[in-house]
């Protein structure tokens, strides 16, 4: 069964629950882990409640449902289809803020890492991976208490994700349900994933944290919607500056590279923004410490795909499929090479993003698709490790990045890396990376061909940042 959780993504509620029930009837056994934690029955009618969902059943048929959405609205569903969305009471969040109080019984300072919607849905993309890795390292810390938190969809309250810790790390709490955070002097809330709606909408809670002498920090991964609006959806561009201005109202920003920090400071200065006294702007580097040398297991399907890919040496690019990532040039450049008999494969690892419908059709309609060109979406961590391990080269053709995690991951696995010549890649890769320039298919094709024909010596003295060092740098900034 698929990831039945305390938090129950709304995608699991309607027809999927019916399918599970029918399957269980056929097997003549009951599901051990119930989807709904609370059930109220009256004859054939049942009202079922769990996480962000409520549903009225007639027998085994889900008829009417209420889903508390991540955009602070309520969706009314009929047979799994959304009929309408309703706004929440505007007093709810301010009232929730007043429920956040001190806890004088505890002595350790706390770092709350806001993991956004991860309890409800994990798209296995880059920024959620950052939140998970920082949390994993933080849980090992002995000096401060590190806890994941999220804004619960039904209550709109900031809560400690006790059940997320149980489900994902086996760390059981003495609390059955997730609890409202407490704030003592010096505690910090670090927001890694919040979007504009959340940052603006939950501002009363952030202000309450500051009021009782806690601190509120945000990570900024880049300011590219301001620098390169052509690469993003109109709504993203429209909301980004208000989002950024909102984050600057609190205690500090931590960026994911020195380049982004400098870009942010320059933008603040150019826009005449006045910051609070003692407002902090600093940076850390993302890490790369997969289990490089340990054995890992793959599913049968994953093993079959890997076997097909490894029929020839291959390049790999790991990133969301979106306009700035250079996939158009990669497709065109490698196609030119294959037309001339180039023997090597290329693997794109990343979910489909925005403004790339035509590009994705080109990928899937290529005569080399699933022969020399492979596109994998939402791969597991184990499969990603296997893809890196078995690759011969890592390529990163992105036009702009805040960091470029795949570049560091490529170096971590000791692979030759070919990357576009942009400042951020120079900052984090230095002389350990081979760089290319030019935006034409032929530019890429020539660079790839030359790259595969040269020898590569790995610099053993290159200090690759780990997630442990990433977390320690953040902790030194915050405490």
């Amino acid at each position: 069964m698929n990831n039945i959780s305390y938090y129950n993504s709304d995608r699991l509620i309607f027809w999927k629950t019916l399918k599970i029930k029918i399957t269980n009837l056929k097997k003549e056994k009951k599901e051990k882990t119930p989807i709904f934690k609370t059930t109220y029955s009256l004859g054939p009618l049942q009202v079922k409640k769990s996480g962000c969902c409520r549903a009225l059943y007639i027998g085994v048929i889900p008829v009417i449902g209420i889903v508390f959405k991540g955009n602070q609205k309520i969706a009314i569903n009929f047979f799994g289809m959304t009929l309408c969305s309703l706004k929440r009471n505007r007093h709810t969040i301010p009232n929730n803020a007043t429920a956040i109080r001190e806890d004088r019984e505890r002595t350790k300072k706390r770092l709350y890492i806001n993991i956004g919607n991860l309890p409800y849905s994990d798209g296995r993309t880059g920024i959620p991976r950052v939140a998970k890795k920082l949390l994993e390292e933080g849980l090992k810390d002995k000096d401060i208490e590190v806890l994941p938190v999220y804004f619960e969809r039904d209550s709109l309250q900031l809560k400690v994700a006790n059940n997320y810790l149980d489900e994902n790390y086996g760390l059981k709490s003495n609390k059955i349900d997730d609890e409202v955070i407490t704030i003592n002097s010096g505690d910090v809330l670090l927001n890694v994933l919040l979007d504009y709606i959340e940052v603006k909408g939950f501002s009363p809670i952030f202000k309450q944290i500051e009021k009782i002498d806690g601190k509120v920090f945000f990570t900024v991964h880049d300011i590219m919607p301001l620098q390169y609006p052509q690469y993003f959806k109109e709504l993203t561009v429209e909301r980004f500056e208000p989002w950024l201005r909102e984050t600057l109202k609190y205690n500090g920003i931590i960026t994911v590279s020195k380049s982004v920090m400098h870009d942010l400071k320059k933008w603040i200065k150019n826009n005449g923004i006045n910051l609070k006294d003692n407002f902090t702007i600093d940076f850390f580097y993302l890490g790369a410490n997969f289990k490089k040398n340990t054995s890992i297991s793959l599913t049968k399907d994953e093993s079959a795909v890997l076997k097909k890919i490894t029929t020839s040496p291959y390049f790999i690019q790991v990133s969301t499929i979106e306009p700035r990532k250079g996939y158009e040039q990669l497709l065109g450049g490698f196609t030119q090479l294959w037309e001339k008999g180039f023997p090597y494969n290329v693997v794109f690892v990343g979910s489909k993003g925005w403004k790339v419908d035509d590009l994705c059709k080109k990928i899937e309609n290529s005569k080399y698709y699933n022969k020399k060109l492979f596109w994998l979406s939402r791969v597991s961590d184990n499969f990603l490790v296997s893809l890196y391990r078995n690759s011969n080269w890592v390529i990163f053709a992105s036009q702009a990045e805040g960091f470029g995690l795949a570049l560091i991951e490529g170096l971590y696995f000791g692979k030759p890396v070919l990357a576009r010549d942009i400042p951020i890649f120079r900052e984090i890769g230095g002389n350990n990376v081979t760089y290319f320039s030019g935006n034409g298919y032929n530019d890429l094709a020539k660079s790839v061909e030359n790259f595969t024909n040269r020898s590569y010596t790995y610099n053993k003295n290159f200090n690759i940042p780990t997630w442990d060092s990433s977390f320690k740098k953040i902790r030194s900034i915050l405490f």
Side-chain angles (χ1 to χ4, degrees):
M1 190 171 67
N2 292 323
N3 297 328
I4 300 306
S5 164
Y6 172 88
Y7 303 96
N8 286 346
S9 170
D10 55 299
R11 289 173 297 182
L12 291 169
I13 292 305
F14 294 98
W15 297 114
K16 186 166 286 188
T17 62
L18 178 58
K19 180 180 177 182
I20 291 168
K21 283 178 174 292
I22 292 172
T23 300
N24 290 338
L25 285 173
K26 288 180 179 178
K27 292 181 179 179
E28 296 183 350
K29 67 177 183 178
K30 294 183 179 180
E31 179 56 54
K32 292 181 181 179
T33 307
I35 290 179
F36 290 95
K37 305 299 181 186
T38 307
T39 302
Y40 305 94
S41 299
L42 180 62
L45 299 180
Q46 293 181 317
V47 177
K48 302 188 176 185
K49 169 186 175 182
S50 182
C52 61
C53 302
R54 313 287 184 267
L56 172 66
Y57 277 67
I58 299 179
V60 298
I61 306 295
V63 181
I64 298 174
I66 297 174
V67 180
F68 297 94
K69 307 292 286 185
N71 61 1
Q72 300 174 20
K73 292 184 179 180
I74 300 174
I76 308 299
N77 291 346
F78 184 66
F79 286 101
M81 296 178 289
T82 301
L83 296 179
C84 63
S85 292
L86 307 176
K87 291 183 178 180
R88 306 293 296 272
N89 187 317
R90 62 188 178 89
H91 298 295
T92 300
I93 295 174
N95 290 341
N96 285 346
T98 62
I100 297 175
R101 304 220 167 99
E102 293 177 280
D103 179 5
R104 295 177 181 176
E105 293 184 3
R106 64 176 170 89
T107 56
K108 276 189 176 181
K109 288 184 178 179
R110 279 184 177 177
L111 170 59
Y112 293 112
I113 297 180
N114 192 332
I115 59 173
N117 283 321
L118 275 175
Y120 296 106
S121 176
D122 183 354
R124 299 187 183 278
T125 54
I127 295 178
R129 188 144 55 100
V130 173
K132 288 185 290 184
K133 291 297 184 182
L134 292 177
L135 174 62
E136 286 173 16
E137 296 302 325
L139 292 173
K140 303 172 188 175
D141 198 284
K142 304 298 182 184
D143 298 321
I144 60 173
E145 189 175 8
V146 179
L147 293 170
V149 297
Y150 71 109
F151 286 106
E152 189 179 60
R153 290 183 181 178
D154 51 344
S155 69
L156 297 181
Q157 181 59 282
L158 184 58
K159 290 192 171 182
V160 178
N162 292 322
N163 285 278
Y164 180 83
L165 286 175
D166 182 12
E167 292 172 7
N168 292 275
Y169 301 98
L171 300 175
K172 294 188 179 296
S173 169
N174 57 0
K175 305 286 185 181
I176 297 175
D177 294 316
D178 293 349
E179 58 189 316
V180 179
I181 69 163
T182 59
I183 293 290
N184 291 345
S185 178
D187 289 349
V188 181
L189 170 65
L190 176 63
N191 297 289
V192 182
L193 293 171
L194 294 191
D195 63 19
Y196 169 71
I197 292 175
E198 292 166 317
V199 171
K200 184 69 175 175
F202 290 111
S203 60
I205 288 177
F206 300 143
K207 290 173 183 175
Q208 174 69 6
I209 290 171
E210 287 189 314
K211 184 178 178 181
I212 51 183
D213 209 19
K215 294 180 180 179
V216 178
F217 275 72
F218 293 85
T219 56
V220 171
H221 296 264
D222 59 72
I223 60 169
M224 287 187 291
L226 301 176
Q227 299 168 306
Y228 310 101
Q230 70 272 22
Y231 293 142
F232 297 90
K233 293 182 286 189
E234 288 184 9
L235 186 61
T236 300
V237 175
E238 177 185 321
R239 287 179 171 176
F240 188 82
E241 184 172 338
W243 172 86
L244 186 58
R245 287 179 178 273
E246 193 71 22
T247 64
L248 294 170
K249 293 179 180 179
Y250 299 98
N251 300 107
I253 296 287
I254 306 177
T255 68
V256 297
S257 67
K258 194 180 294 183
S259 294
V260 175
M261 182 181 72
H262 289 159
D263 289 344
L264 177 61
K265 287 182 175 180
K266 183 179 178 181
W267 182 83
I268 291 170
K269 182 179 179 181
N270 290 344
N271 285 273
I273 296 173
N274 294 318
L275 303 175
K276 285 182 177 180
D277 292 340
N278 300 320
F279 188 92
T280 300
I281 301 179
D282 211 325
F283 76 96
F284 75 107
Y285 287 136
L286 305 183
N289 55 331
F290 287 106
K291 295 176 180 178
K292 187 164 54 174
N293 299 314
T294 57
S295 61
I296 56 175
S297 59
L298 299 180
T299 66
K300 184 177 179 180
D301 289 343
E302 289 170 341
S303 296
V305 172
L306 187 62
K307 183 178 180 181
K308 191 172 184 179
I309 290 170
T310 53
T311 54
S312 295
Y314 66 91
F315 283 81
I316 182 173
Q317 172 157 310
V318 181
S319 68
T320 306
I321 310 290
E322 55 177 282
R324 66 185 166 91
K325 298 292 188 176
Y327 282 104
E328 180 84 42
Q329 187 183 17
L330 285 174
L331 178 61
F334 274 95
T335 299
Q336 277 191 11
L337 291 169
W338 291 323
E339 292 293 312
K340 297 176 182 178
F342 189 68
Y344 306 131
N345 297 343
V346 67
V347 180
F348 300 160
V349 181
S351 301
K352 180 182 177 182
W354 48 89
K355 301 173 77 170
V356 288
D357 288 348
D358 290 342
L359 171 60
C360 291
K361 287 177 184 176
K362 285 183 183 179
I363 293 171
E364 293 173 333
N365 292 333
S366 168
K367 67 181 181 180
Y368 298 103
Y369 187 57
N370 285 336
K371 296 174 182 176
K372 301 200 74 63
L373 166 66
F374 300 87
W375 175 21
L376 308 175
S377 179
R378 295 189 178 186
V379 302
S380 67
D381 283 350
N382 279 355
F383 195 17
L384 183 57
V385 170
S386 292
L387 289 166
Y388 271 128
R389 281 181 180 175
N390 288 279
S391 68
N392 298 81
W393 308 276
V394 171
I395 190 166
F396 211 168
S398 185
Q399 298 278 359
E401 289 290 331
F403 183 77
L405 186 55
L407 187 150
I408 286 294
E409 289 174 343
L411 293 175
Y412 176 78
F413 283 97
K415 304 299 178 180
V417 177
L418 176 64
R420 191 179 300 279
D421 194 356
I422 56 177
I424 182 57
F425 290 165
R426 289 279 183 179
E427 177 187 339
I428 63 175
N431 295 327
N432 301 281
V433 171
T434 301
Y435 299 95
F436 75 93
S437 57
N439 297 314
Y441 296 164
N442 198 46
D443 297 321
L444 190 283
K446 284 182 178 179
S447 297
V448 167
E449 198 165 31
N450 291 337
F451 186 58
T452 56
N453 290 329
R454 65 176 285 243
S455 60
Y456 174 80
T457 303
Y458 180 66
N459 181 0
K460 294 182 179 180
N461 295 321
F462 179 58
N463 185 22
I464 296 174
T466 64
W467 286 110
D468 175 63
S469 64
S470 300
F471 175 78
K472 286 178 178 175
K473 176 67 185 293
I474 287 176
R475 189 185 64 182
S476 71
I477 295 168
L478 299 177
F479 295 94

